[in-house]
Every structure is written in C-alpha cells, then in structure tokens.
Amino acid sequence: MQDRDISNAIKSTQLAKDNPHILHTLGCLYAETGKTTDGRELLLRAMDDLNLDEPNDDFWYAFGRIAEQYGERDIAIADYQKLQKPKYALEIPTSSYTLAQMRLKALGVTGAERSAAGK
C-alpha cells in the first residue's frame, strides 16, 4: 500500500504543478517510509514555496517523524512539543497536533510531561 500511496502522491504533485501542500504530503509519506532524505528535501521545498521562514505545525510534525527515523528521540520529542493545540475543538481530531500527541505517547512521554511543555 505504501508504494501505491507514494505513486499517487507523485502523480498528484505532477498534476497540481508541484503544489506545496501536496509536496508536504509526499514529504510526509517519504518520512514515514524511511526515505528521509527525499522527504526532507520536499518539505524544505514546500516551505520555501509557502514562504515559511520557520516550520509551522504541519512541518514540525513531519520533521519529528524524520528525526524518529534517524533514532533521534530527543529531537523528535522537541519537534512534536512545538505543535500548538488547535483553537477549535472540531479541528483537533484531524490535526497534526493530534498526530504529534500520539507520537509523544508512543515515545513514552507522559501526559504530565506533554502538559508541562505548554501543550
């Protein structure tokens, strides 16, 4: 399934003329499948296309996944803890914030530690 997902994302980037949001999605797929160099390059390109000087929550999550792939637990935790909880409850279930909270839990970061980080 992962190869098909990546293939579909590549086709989407071609059809959408390298839309930065689709590049972000493809970068995340690469990060998830261990293709960290390709993922990082696409994420940086998408950030540049979006004129982002610093990563936003969606990019912090993706960079956290790349850090995890490299075994950099502390960096991944720091990246995930940068995400802000959405202001509207309706946005929370589908947010990068929720994904980051799941990763923090998987990394053994307790709820108290997540709360202490201001999230």
Side-chain angles (χ1 to χ4, degrees):
M1 182 82 161
Q2 291 175 354
D3 289 338
R4 193 170 101 204
D5 293 337
I6 289 173
S7 176
N8 287 339
I10 290 169
K11 190 171 192 170
S12 294
T13 62
Q14 294 165 343
L15 292 172
K17 300 183 184 348
D18 291 341
N19 177 296
H21 301 288
I22 297 172
L23 289 175
H24 173 271
T25 299
L26 179 56
C28 287
L29 285 170
Y30 281 149
E32 288 293 328
T33 58
K35 297 177 182 179
T36 54
T37 301
D38 294 333
R40 182 179 179 277
E41 287 177 15
L42 286 177
L43 292 167
L44 292 175
R45 186 167 138 205
M47 282 181 58
D48 190 47
D49 289 351
L50 292 168
N51 296 314
L52 295 176
D53 292 328
E54 292 288 324
N56 64 21
D57 285 357
D58 295 331
F59 287 93
W60 280 126
Y61 174 77
F63 289 130
R65 292 300 294 139
I66 289 172
E68 277 194 77
Q69 292 286 349
Y70 281 109
E72 295 291 341
R73 181 181 183 275
D74 293 340
I75 292 171
I77 289 169
D79 287 350
Y80 295 143
Q81 288 179 329
K82 291 176 182 168
L83 280 79
Q84 299 294 312
K85 186 174 184 177
K87 294 176 184 171
Y88 302 104
L90 190 60
E91 297 173 344
I92 294 172
T94 60
S95 68
S96 293
Y97 169 82
T98 298
L99 293 173
Q101 295 306 302
M102 291 170 33
R103 293 307 314 147
L104 287 167
K105 185 176 180 181
L107 291 168
V109 178
T110 66
E113 290 172 308
R114 290 193 303 260
S115 295
K119 311 295 179 239

